[in-house]
Amino acid sequence: MKKKFHRWWLPRKYVVEHGIFWSDDLRDSELKFCRDVVIITMGQQRKDFLNSHGYNCIAIGPFIKYANYFYSSNKRQEVKKRLGKVLLVFPSHSIEGVDAVFNGRQFINEIKNRAKQFDNVLVCLYWKDILDHREKEYIDCGFTVVTAGHRSDSYFLSRLKDLIWLSDMTMSNTLGTHLGYCISLGKPHYLFLQDISWAGDKVEEEMQNCNKGIYEKRLFTFKRLFGTYTTVISDEQQEIVEYYWGK
């Protein structure tokens, strides 16, 4: 007699979201095959949103906390001793088919203004921006350009965790997953918001499900909380990071 297998006997399938979705979009390309799987995300905000739209989602907190460091403790201490007090910078980055466009000179001037308090500045670029030769303007200013690599690299988060560990202060010019990662690892973050536009043959595809109203509202909130330079993480900052990224 043939043994019958019921669906619930089969192992569950899981998918892991990449980062924070600032406009509460439901991208068909990413979610259309996810009705019968468990979606793993970071924070309560995204979990509640997806579950309210019929998905099965669980929140596990900032993904970076699950990553091992890339280098050993001794190696990190050695590098930290050489670098001294570090400002880690995250410029808005491009992705495949979409280029980030912003006033680079204005951003560099702000970095220089803040760099006076530090021994070294590390500028973390995405691999595509390095291939597009965007590192030169930072190197010409005496900054050190670093990268965590490709987002699909299994060591991406480990490298990023090392870089944040080496920092004393972090800053960026746009909202991104990096902000919550920095705060969750105990490093203050300064958000020097700039007008960012996008160019490339995949801009329309990436933006088609974006709710601009929701995005602008959240942008205003994060600007209020992180738009003033301070080396202390406030309770309000910690609370909003825990809501979007978990803890």
Side-chain angles (χ1 to χ4, degrees):
M1 183 177 178
K2 264 190 172 181
K3 189 173 182 180
K4 292 182 179 179
F5 289 90
H6 294 284
R7 184 178 181 84
W8 60 267
W9 285 5
L10 300 176
R12 270 184 156 177
K13 294 180 180 179
Y14 297 84
V15 295
V16 181
E17 291 201 303
H18 170 65
I20 303 295
F21 291 83
W22 294 111
S23 62
D24 275 354
D25 54 34
L26 290 167
R27 298 182 183 181
D28 290 342
S29 60
E30 297 185 6
L31 293 175
K32 64 181 177 181
F33 300 116
C34 295
R35 291 295 183 181
D36 295 324
V37 302
V38 178
I39 300 174
I40 297 175
T41 193
M42 286 188 278
Q44 189 68 35
Q45 183 276 330
R46 183 66 173 172
K47 173 189 172 182
D48 291 345
F49 174 74
L50 288 178
N51 286 344
S52 70
H53 284 76
Y55 293 94
N56 185 5
C57 181
I58 59 174
I60 65 172
F63 295 155
I64 201 165
K65 286 194 171 183
Y66 295 89
N68 294 321
Y69 286 105
F70 188 75
Y71 285 118
S72 67
S73 177
N74 287 341
K75 178 67 174 179
R76 295 198 310 275
Q77 294 285 355
E78 176 188 325
V79 175
K80 179 62 177 172
K81 185 176 180 180
R82 174 166 54 83
L83 292 177
K85 194 174 181 183
V86 171
L87 172 64
L88 177 61
V89 182
F90 296 93
S92 179
H93 69 81
S94 307
I95 59 174
E96 297 85 332
V98 181
D99 295 325
V101 182
F102 58 89
N103 188 330
R105 180 49 51 189
Q106 181 189 44
F107 190 41
I108 284 174
N109 287 339
E110 183 65 14
I111 297 171
K112 286 180 176 179
N113 182 39
R114 302 304 172 184
K116 298 170 185 176
Q117 308 169 43
F118 299 90
D119 300 308
N120 277 285
V121 174
L122 304 183
V123 180
C124 186
L125 294 183
Y126 190 51
W127 66 273
K128 186 179 184 300
D129 289 319
I130 294 176
L131 288 182
D132 291 340
H133 308 295
R134 293 191 175 192
E135 80 284 355
K136 189 177 184 303
E137 59 183 334
Y138 299 106
I139 293 174
D140 288 346
C141 294
F143 306 148
T144 299
V145 171
V146 296
T147 182
H150 194 284
R151 65 182 177 182
S152 297
D153 188 320
S154 58
Y155 291 106
F156 177 87
L157 281 183
S158 294
R159 295 190 192 100
L160 184 59
K161 194 170 186 176
D162 276 20
L163 292 171
I164 296 174
W165 184 91
L166 288 169
S167 71
D168 296 275
M169 181 70 193
T170 63
M171 67 177 286
S172 62
N173 62 344
T174 189
L175 277 180
T177 306
H178 56 269
L179 186 153
Y181 281 169
C182 292
I183 298 298
S184 68
L185 293 177
K187 302 304 172 84
H189 193 85
Y190 167 49
L191 186 58
F192 179 71
L193 271 181
Q194 291 186 281
D195 291 328
I196 311 291
S197 60
W198 308 97
D201 55 10
K202 290 190 176 180
V203 172
E204 187 175 344
E205 177 185 334
E206 287 292 324
M207 302 299 179
Q208 64 178 334
N209 294 311
C210 178
N211 187 317
K212 192 173 181 181
I214 292 176
Y215 174 76
E216 292 292 340
K217 183 178 180 180
R218 288 174 181 165
L219 194 67
F220 177 82
T221 299
F222 276 86
K223 181 180 180 180
R224 177 178 65 82
L225 293 177
F226 292 90
T228 301
Y229 185 90
T230 175
T231 57
V232 177
I233 300 174
S234 70
D235 290 341
E236 267 194 296
Q237 289 176 336
Q238 193 72 51
E239 286 173 8
I240 197 168
V241 165
E242 289 180 0
Y243 180 52
Y244 283 93
W245 282 264
K247 58 181 179 178

